[in-house]
Amino acid sequence: MLTLKKKTADILEAAVKAGFGEGILSAADIFAMLEYPPDRSMGDLALPCFKLSKALRRSPVQIADALAAAVKCEEFSEVSAINGYLNFKINPASFATRVVSDVERLGDKYGSPMDGVGKTVVLDYSSPNVAKPFHIGHLGTTVIGHSLKLLHEFAGYKCVGINYLGDWGTQFGKLIVAYKMWGDKALIEEGGVDELVKLYVKINNAIKDEEEQGITTLADQSRAEFKKLEEADEDNLALWRWFVSVSLEEYQKTYKQLDIEFDSYKGESFYTDKMPAQVQLLRDKGLLEIDDGASIVNLEKWNMPVCLILKRDGSTLYPTRDIAAAVYRKGEYAFDKAIYVTSAQQSLHFAQWFKVVELMGY
Ligand code: ARG
């Protein structure tokens, strides 16, 4: 039906051009005006001509009469002007003939709008956090993201499915401390990500207990271990790589069950060396402000809290990585569209850094 609706809009565009002049209404304008009448005895498709009155400077009745006489299409058995409406009745035999031949010609692609041909879309979805549980929210974005990918592929887009693994951040400092204190290599090899999660929960509880007593030993140690990791300490890097691969193995079991594959697993860690250039650009554009030692972008004008770019100790944050990742993907894939599928709790995070990259001129 969509195909016939498009074809009708093309025919009407030509009729308007012939009867009223060039460049007044496009096929897309007319397509948007076409309706399916609620009472099908009136017709299978209808054009309410009052919608054209202003552009054509005629009454709806005059317009409907003029167009009814001009429209010729073998797929309609009748085109009639009634009270300012142009009503179309389908000729079932020719409609069916065309549909069957379209199906034969297009096969699996039948019904595709094909409006993505020559365009690229990157989709960021699933993206669980290493050594943290793959929870129901991740399952949701995995399935929705994959469906959006299939829909775009069907529409002709080149699609890049990206699993933006949460594989960097202070949690790794904590995990390293926990592993050094309580870890058991064999147990993790056996139990996989569940064992890592246990360690992570244990260290978090211990840090909390210390905090209640006004102690910060474990928190300080964690920060120090993460700093070492950021400075490419070989031992910490080896542990980190192992934590990532143990987790990834587990996730991939889930993806296999769902029959979902990703084109890229470039996670947050991939962007560590790509952030400084973006931070510098922010600085050059005068967008960075120092607030209590931290570097921020003030978003007051847009009714949002400040976007944190660098912590007081110079370490980067979640928005900083997302900015670097978006810029990298634009360069790598030259995308026409970038889609992020994530939990609604992150909508402020996204609104903030979308605004920041806009201010940066991207
Ligand atoms: N790792 C994040 C989480 O589990 C989701 C990542 C969403 N994508 C992004 N580009 N920030 O909450």
Side-chain angles (χ1 to χ4, degrees):
M1 194 60 203
L2 207 60
T3 309
L4 180 55
K5 199 175 161 187
K6 276 192 184 142
K7 191 165 157 183
T8 309
D10 288 341
I11 294 170
L12 287 168
E13 183 196 26
V16 167
K17 217 182 258 175
F20 300 88
E22 297 246 353
I24 308 175
L25 286 168
S26 71
D29 296 331
I30 296 169
F31 182 85
M33 294 171 183
L34 284 167
E35 291 175 356
Y36 299 115
D39 175 3
R40 282 290 166 99
S41 67
M42 308 283 294
D44 299 294
L45 198 63
L47 182 68
C49 294
F50 68 88
K51 294 191 176 175
L52 290 77
S53 282
K54 209 173 149 205
L56 302 185
R57 298 184 212 195
R58 300 281 197 293
S59 75
V61 172
Q62 286 171 321
I63 297 168
D65 287 343
L67 293 178
V71 170
K72 297 269 172 294
C73 174
E74 71 292 349
E75 282 190 58
F76 293 122
S77 58
E78 194 187 324
V79 181
S80 51
I82 302 167
N83 300 330
Y85 273 76
L86 196 58
N87 291 335
F88 303 87
K89 278 213 172 92
I90 288 179
N91 175 344
S94 38
F95 180 71
T97 306
R98 199 255 312 149
V99 170
V100 170
S101 88
D102 280 356
V103 171
E104 274 177 346
R105 184 167 50 90
L106 297 166
D108 283 353
K109 281 286 176 196
Y110 175 75
S112 166
M114 295 308 277
D115 53 2
V117 175
K119 294 187 191 144
T120 299
V121 56
V122 298
L123 301 104
D124 171 319
Y125 57 103
S126 195
S127 312
N129 300 317
V130 171
K132 289 192 196 168
F134 186 103
H135 55 69
I136 188 73
H138 292 121
L139 184 63
T141 74
T142 304
V143 172
I144 295 169
H146 183 65
S147 306
L148 287 172
K149 187 182 178 203
L150 295 182
L151 288 169
H152 278 85
E153 268 167 3
F154 184 63
Y157 283 90
K158 177 174 177 280
C159 293
V160 187
I162 301 175
N163 195 328
Y164 183 62
L165 286 179
D167 61 0
W168 204 246
T170 40
Q171 77 259 33
F172 289 97
K174 292 182 188 172
L175 204 58
I176 290 169
V177 172
Y179 180 73
K180 285 184 179 167
M181 278 196 300
W182 310 304
D184 178 338
K185 189 161 188 247
L187 207 62
I188 294 174
E189 274 166 359
E190 178 71 28
V193 74
D194 290 346
E195 290 302 322
L196 292 179
V197 171
K198 276 187 207 159
L199 279 179
Y200 186 66
V201 170
K202 194 167 171 181
I203 184 82
N204 266 323
N205 288 337
I207 289 176
K208 231 185 264 155
D209 288 347
E210 276 197 353
E211 246 169 36
E212 277 161 20
Q213 303 164 40
I215 308 171
T216 59
T217 317
L218 288 175
D220 291 341
Q221 278 177 8
S222 302
R223 260 189 294 275
E225 293 294 2
F226 182 60
K227 191 148 193 281
K228 270 167 68 183
L229 181 63
E230 283 202 296
E231 287 160 0
D233 173 86
E234 244 335 297
D235 292 341
N236 280 9
L237 267 179
L239 276 178
W240 168 78
R241 267 187 223 113
W242 180 48
F243 295 152
V244 173
S245 76
V246 165
S247 308
L248 202 56
E249 222 170 89
E250 190 68 30
Y251 303 146
Q252 270 165 340
K253 280 185 209 154
T254 308
Y255 297 140
K256 210 166 174 183
Q257 280 180 316
L258 295 169
D259 199 15
I260 288 177
E261 279 175 22
F262 290 89
D263 303 295
S264 161
Y265 275 96
K266 288 197 170 81
E268 294 184 39
S269 67
F270 179 76
Y271 298 97
T272 42
D273 64 349
K274 296 173 181 58
M275 285 182 280
Q278 300 312 316
V279 174
Q280 191 54 44
L281 188 62
L282 277 163
R283 207 172 278 128
D284 293 345
K285 298 221 163 201
L287 291 164
L288 275 195
E289 288 175 25
I290 305 297
D291 183 9
D292 196 19
S295 301
I296 57 140
V297 178
N298 189 326
L299 297 175
E300 217 179 337
K301 266 196 234 160
W302 295 275
N303 291 319
M304 285 187 276
V306 301
C307 184
L308 263 170
I309 300 294
L310 294 177
K311 282 195 220 163
R312 225 189 321 188
D313 63 6
S315 56
T316 56
L317 290 118
Y318 190 39
T320 330
R321 287 191 277 280
D322 256 322
I323 291 168
V327 174
Y328 171 84
R329 290 172 190 169
K330 185 74 188 174
E332 186 72 8
Y333 304 111
F335 60 75
D336 297 276
K337 207 160 38 156
I339 297 179
Y340 293 86
V341 189
T342 182
S343 77
Q345 279 100 312
Q346 299 197 22
S347 47
L348 176 63
H349 160 75
F350 280 93
Q352 286 178 304
W353 78 259
F354 282 179
K355 179 51 79 182
V356 172
V357 287
E358 188 191 319
L359 294 173
M360 290 168 86
Y362 288 119

